[in-house]
């Protein structure tokens, strides 16, 4: 098991198979006030029922590639998709069709299509999810999580890519070398901001 800890930074480790539900719960808590996610599921019960399936569909393949990380105390975590690994499109389509009414359903499908075209053509690491428990935000946990995997990305001299679903997080990503490459907004959706970090 690879662990990293520098100075006062949290210890970060790969998510083990038995810890997947706890790792998903980190994201559920972190995204509970996210503009895009609560546009999708404004009713709390619907959000709690559906969002874990989104985590698995969009970023769950990170678990099988040692690319899902958490802090030792499960206060924060990331799901990265390594080069060549993509979201589970069939699972995402099923979730969209089963949980979202029109017109949101059609708007989401258009957002997902545009997100797909925004991906860099070069091999890249895709940050599908990064989340920190709201009770512990502002303590450098998100920054430490970003640095942890970006060090690996830089060793491989590859692009890193993400889609920010909350404009409030853009300054954090910019501090780590990401830049907004476009804005995606369809119908009543809040903005989704694809961001790219060139190789270092």
């Amino acid at each position: 098991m690879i662990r990293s800890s520098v100075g006062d930074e949290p210890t970060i480790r790969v998510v083990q198979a038995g810890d997947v539900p706890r790792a998903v719960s980190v994201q559920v808590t972190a995204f509970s006030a996210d503009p895009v996610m609560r546009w999708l599921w404004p009713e709390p019960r619907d959000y709690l029922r559906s969002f874990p399936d989104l985590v698995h569909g969009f970023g769950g393949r990170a678990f099988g590639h040692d690319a899902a990380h958490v802090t030792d105390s499960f206060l924060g975590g990331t799901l990265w998709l390594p080069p060549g690994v993509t979201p589970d499109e069939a699972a995402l389509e099923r979730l969209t069709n089963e949980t979202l009414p029109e017109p949101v359903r059609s708007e989401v499908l258009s957002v997902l299509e545009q997100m797909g075209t925004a991906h860099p053509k070069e091999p890249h690491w895709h940050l599908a999810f990064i989340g920190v428990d709201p009770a512990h935000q502002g303590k450098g946990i998100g920054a430490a999580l970003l640095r942890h995997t970006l060090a690996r990305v830089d060793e491989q001299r590859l692009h890193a890519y993400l889609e920010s679903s909350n404009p409030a997080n853009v300054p954090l990503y910019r501090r780590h070398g990401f830049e907004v490459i476009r804005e995606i907004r369809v119908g009543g959706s809040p903005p989704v901001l694809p961001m790219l970090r060139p190789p270092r």
Side-chain angles (χ1 to χ4, degrees), residues 161-174:
Y161 170 82
L162 62 84
E163 298 105 349
S164 179
S165 55
N166 188 344
N169 295 330
V170 167
L172 169 66
Y173 302 137
R174 282 197 167 125

Side-chain angles (χ1 to χ4, degrees), residues 2-181:
I2 299 174
R3 293 171 178 262
S4 75
S5 180
V6 179
D8 293 330
E9 290 199 355
T11 300
I12 297 169
R13 65 175 178 83
V14 171
V15 176
Q16 302 302 299
D19 287 330
V20 169
R22 288 182 73 190
V24 171
S25 75
V26 171
Q27 304 302 330
V28 172
T29 303
F31 279 83
S32 61
D34 181 85
V36 171
M37 302 312 161
R38 299 315 301 274
W39 167 68
L40 295 176
W41 299 291
E43 219 271 27
R45 183 181 63 172
D46 295 338
Y47 169 76
L48 292 172
R49 180 181 296 157
S50 301
F51 186 73
D53 291 335
L54 178 65
V55 174
H56 283 285
F58 195 69
R61 289 176 174 167
F63 293 119
H65 290 85
D66 289 338
H69 298 93
V70 288
T71 63
D72 254 358
S73 49
F74 284 84
L75 298 181
T78 54
L79 299 178
W80 287 86
L81 300 178
V85 179
T86 60
D88 184 339
E89 292 185 9
L92 293 175
E93 184 176 352
R94 186 167 57 250
L95 178 66
T96 300
N97 289 333
E98 292 177 357
T99 69
L100 300 177
E102 290 292 1
V104 172
R105 179 188 307 151
S106 294
E107 292 170 359
V108 166
L109 292 173
S110 179
V111 168
L112 288 171
E113 182 179 345
Q114 292 185 53
M115 285 167 55
T117 63
H119 277 252
K121 301 296 184 277
E122 304 86 355
H124 63 278
W125 283 78
H126 177 194
L127 178 57
F129 287 98
I130 178 170
V132 176
D133 185 328
H136 296 274
Q137 291 175 1
K139 300 178 180 178
I141 295 172
L145 284 161
L146 280 171
R147 283 192 293 270
H148 177 78
T149 301
L150 287 175
R152 183 176 175 187
V153 174
D154 290 344
E155 286 176 2
Q156 300 176 5
R157 299 190 181 281
L158 294 176
H159 289 81
Y161 170 82
L162 62 84
E163 298 105 349
S164 179
S165 55
N166 188 344
N169 295 330
V170 167
L172 169 66
Y173 302 137
R174 282 197 167 125
R175 287 196 296 273
H176 289 84
F178 290 89
E179 289 298 334
V180 175
I181 56 175

